[in-house]
Amino acid sequence: MRLRNITGSRDIIAESDFVIHDETKRKGQWKEIFGNDLPIRLEIGMGKGRFIMDMAEKYPDADYLGIEKYSSVLLRAIQKMEERVEKNENLNVRFIRMDAEYICDVFEEGEVDRIYLNFSDPWPKDRHAKRRLESRQFLERYDRILKKDGRIEFKTDNRALFDFAVEEVEASAFKITALTYDLHSDKDLMQGNVMTEYEEKFSSMGNPICKYILERR
Ligand code: SAM
């Protein structure tokens, strides 16, 4: 997802209290940002942030950080967050604008409880495989920042990307503990499911949604 460059988006982001601006200085200290001792959960590639805000509303027993690479997209998430705050919603959500490639500079070993990857960019060319958020290179980064019993959850309607993701697990510290090629027909995995923007769009077009959950071996 890349939205048209919106004039002034960098200024709005720079002034937003919902965005953490000095993320590398927060390494090992994320609990202080939220002022509580709740587990920290990330959505990497959050887009406009609907999933992470709905998660925070539905499951307030955790703190949530949405990571997004593009300012123009993050701006939309900030606007949505402002609308929800106006409705008196008090959400444990903050945003970081960064490329997830550098995630180990931002989180200490074992600092993260859960990672959500939703409808990640597919990077279809073989030579770009390591940019996919489910590649072995990214799984190694997640292995460093996730706590011992941490978990990764991935959803997509892109079967080629999902097949690649499943193959990559073999080369990682993780194992698949749940998997479906049709989430919306899977009663168990659908329990408590929170739809993302892309999930709503693609499932309404009839595309089956694949999902896996990873835990450490
Ligand atoms: N997760 C949302 C959903 O399911 O509705 C948005 C999905 S959108 C296809 C993927 C998003 O991931 C885009 O907004 C893109 O900018 C972001 N993204 C892709 N690679 C990223 C990276 N390396 N670091 C941070 N964000 C990334």
Side-chain angles (χ1 to χ4, degrees):
M1 181 194 300
R2 228 176 147 169
L3 302 173
R4 205 165 34 86
N5 248 343
I6 301 165
T7 325
S9 63
R10 281 189 186 259
D11 291 343
I12 295 169
I13 290 168
E15 282 161 23
S16 174
D17 291 338
F18 300 126
V19 181
I20 306 302
H21 304 283
D22 51 356
E23 65 274 3
T24 50
K25 292 192 188 135
R26 307 297 181 150
K27 186 171 175 170
Q29 295 165 25
W30 284 97
K31 286 192 187 305
E32 287 166 25
I33 295 273
F34 291 99
N36 62 43
D37 206 27
L38 296 174
I40 291 168
R41 301 189 174 159
L42 316 179
E43 185 187 11
I44 302 183
M46 70 161 174
K48 297 182 206 161
R50 174 179 142 181
F51 170 82
I52 198 119
M53 290 179 233
D54 286 349
M55 286 292 287
E57 188 185 347
K58 192 163 179 177
Y59 304 109
D61 55 343
D63 293 321
Y64 297 86
L65 283 164
I67 293 178
E68 172 53 51
K69 188 157 67 167
Y70 292 113
S71 303
S72 57
V73 185
L74 175 57
L75 182 67
R76 299 297 172 96
I78 294 171
Q79 288 165 340
K80 291 247 156 66
M81 187 77 174
E82 282 168 356
E83 284 165 24
R84 293 178 78 142
V85 167
E86 267 172 37
K87 288 188 213 150
N88 278 328
E89 287 183 43
N90 184 15
L91 302 176
N92 289 340
V93 177
R94 295 290 182 275
F95 306 129
I96 309 173
R97 194 194 66 75
M98 64 173 285
D99 188 325
E101 194 181 331
Y102 306 105
I103 199 133
C104 296
D105 297 339
V106 172
F107 297 98
E108 195 54 82
E109 265 180 45
E111 197 170 16
V112 175
D113 171 63
R114 212 168 278 189
I115 294 174
Y116 300 102
L117 306 168
N118 293 317
F119 296 80
S120 311
D121 291 345
W123 292 105
K125 290 186 181 140
D126 283 348
R127 67 190 158 89
H128 291 150
K130 63 173 188 267
R131 295 188 192 173
R132 297 175 194 147
L133 295 178
E134 298 73 25
S135 65
R136 64 192 66 190
Q137 290 83 358
F138 270 97
L139 291 179
E140 198 186 318
R141 294 176 183 121
Y142 306 151
D143 183 30
R144 278 194 254 159
I145 63 169
L146 269 178
K147 66 185 197 189
K148 203 165 160 246
D149 59 350
R151 189 205 270 199
I152 302 168
E153 299 194 11
F154 170 46
K155 296 194 272 192
T156 183
D157 70 323
N158 185 321
R159 184 60 192 263
L161 176 63
F162 191 69
D163 289 344
F164 166 83
V166 168
E167 277 174 24
E168 290 295 274
V169 178
E170 199 56 48
S172 79
F174 298 95
K175 64 173 188 240
I176 297 174
T177 54
L179 179 147
T180 177
Y181 292 98
D182 188 1
L183 174 64
H184 291 197
S185 306
D186 186 315
K187 253 185 21 212
D188 291 340
L189 282 180
M190 265 310 267
Q191 263 184 30
N193 185 56
V194 168
M195 293 251 258
T196 81
E197 236 146 10
Y198 273 62
E199 183 174 355
E200 185 159 284
K201 180 171 159 198
F202 291 119
S203 61
S204 71
M205 288 160 61
N207 296 5
I209 308 300
C210 304
K211 175 171 180 170
Y212 74 37
I213 298 176
L214 306 185
E215 287 168 58
R216 286 234 175 53
R217 287 175 199 278

